[in-house]
Amino acid sequence: MSDHVILTADDHRDLRIRTERAPELGDAVMTCITVPSEFRRVQTHYPILFQLDQTRDTFIALAMFGFEPGENLFLTDAGWDARYRPLAIDSQPFLVGRGAGDVRQVHIDMTSPRIGAGEGTRVFDDTGRPTPYLERIADQLRALDTDYVASADFFAALRRYELLEPLTMDVTLDDGSKNRLVGYHVIDEDRLVALDGVAVADLHASGHMMPIFMALASLGNIGDLVARKNRRTARG
């Protein structure tokens, strides 16, 4: 169970964070949230899928690491096998909290296995000032929070032009086993191509066309993900 508290120098002067990547540190996840502003970097390695939150009737974007819950095919004995990690996972165990007047604050999950017992990277120095590590985390959280809020316009545009279609994908591995992806959406490329000039101009002027193209391009990474799954399955 999570225990989110405000990060302060007084309470967390000696806090250390383990920054290596491993399943036991919380990295064994199938997906994580991503935001349109980082789609260009995310699509280099990961498929980008969309998922509808039925309760809120809103979409979120997800970077995909595996085919089943708890599976991250980018984790190896040497760490994370990709040059870029999405902001939402790279900034853990920190998160954005809100104080009085909706002021953004840096919070930390005190139950996270990343909190080191005398080992790891310091968050504050001996004088109580943020270390370069914490400054980088704060920049990541600021970008993630700002871009997550701004992404509402992006998803509204996708729905306005009916550019999302449900995805059902069956993946057959070399050993004959099957994985099925359901419950996700992708960009409807045929509908995108069929948009009239007014719609295209609207998407371009709003800055939505580039992340749309990046999300489409990212689907080419599914083949790489299947290859990773085959290699892992072959190793047993």
Side-chain angles (χ1 to χ4, degrees):
M1 193 171 181
S2 299
D3 179 19
H4 298 170
V5 301
I6 301 173
L7 183 72
T8 68
D10 289 338
D11 293 334
H12 306 106
R13 177 72 61 91
D14 299 321
L15 186 70
R16 292 177 179 268
I17 303 297
R18 295 180 61 184
T19 58
E20 66 269 31
R21 297 288 156 175
E24 63 271 18
L25 295 179
D27 292 317
V29 291
M30 175 184 171
T31 62
C32 82
I33 287 176
T34 181
V35 289
S37 60
E38 67 170 344
F39 280 8
R40 182 190 291 271
R41 298 185 295 277
V42 169
Q43 66 86 30
T44 304
H45 302 288
Y46 317 104
I48 298 170
L49 305 180
F50 303 95
Q51 190 172 55
L52 179 64
D53 183 328
Q54 299 285 354
T55 303
R56 300 180 180 180
D57 193 33
T58 56
F59 278 95
I60 58 172
L62 299 169
M64 178 183 170
F65 309 136
F67 292 102
E68 53 190 295
E71 179 179 71
N72 186 339
L73 297 169
F74 291 89
L75 285 181
T76 70
D77 293 340
W80 193 291
D81 184 29
R83 294 188 303 276
Y84 180 78
R85 290 186 295 270
L87 294 172
I89 202 160
D90 202 44
S91 57
Q92 291 178 358
F94 302 94
L95 61 154
V96 175
R98 286 168 170 73
D102 203 35
V103 174
R104 268 54 167 182
Q105 302 166 326
V106 176
H107 284 206
I108 183 169
D109 180 4
M110 294 303 296
T111 65
S112 171
R114 291 199 172 279
I115 296 178
E119 60 179 329
T121 302
R122 292 192 64 174
V123 175
F124 296 99
D125 64 20
D126 291 335
T127 68
R129 295 181 60 82
T131 61
Y133 166 70
L134 179 56
E135 290 177 344
R136 179 177 68 83
I137 291 293
D139 287 342
Q140 289 180 322
L141 292 176
R142 190 177 302 112
L144 185 60
D145 181 63
T146 300
D147 296 340
Y148 182 79
V149 172
S151 69
D153 288 341
F154 175 72
F155 291 119
L158 295 185
R159 300 186 85 167
R160 182 165 64 252
Y161 295 114
E162 300 180 331
L163 290 176
L164 290 172
E165 64 174 343
L167 170 71
T168 298
M169 177 178 290
D170 291 311
V171 176
T172 302
L173 302 179
D174 291 345
D175 66 357
S177 62
K178 297 181 183 296
N179 289 261
R180 167 166 280 203
L181 278 179
V182 294
Y184 300 98
H185 288 68
V186 293
I187 299 294
D188 187 331
E189 188 170 359
D190 291 338
R191 191 174 290 274
L192 177 66
V193 171
L195 289 177
D196 61 27
V198 174
V200 171
D202 176 40
L203 291 170
H204 179 72
S206 301
H208 301 322
M209 195 60 83
M210 183 59 73
I212 286 173
F213 286 146
M214 293 298 102
L216 275 172
S218 77
L219 299 180
N221 293 318
I222 292 178
D224 175 66
L225 211 57
V226 172
R228 288 173 178 269
K229 179 79 168 179
N230 279 321
R231 290 195 296 271
R232 183 164 297 186
T233 302
R235 290 196 301 267

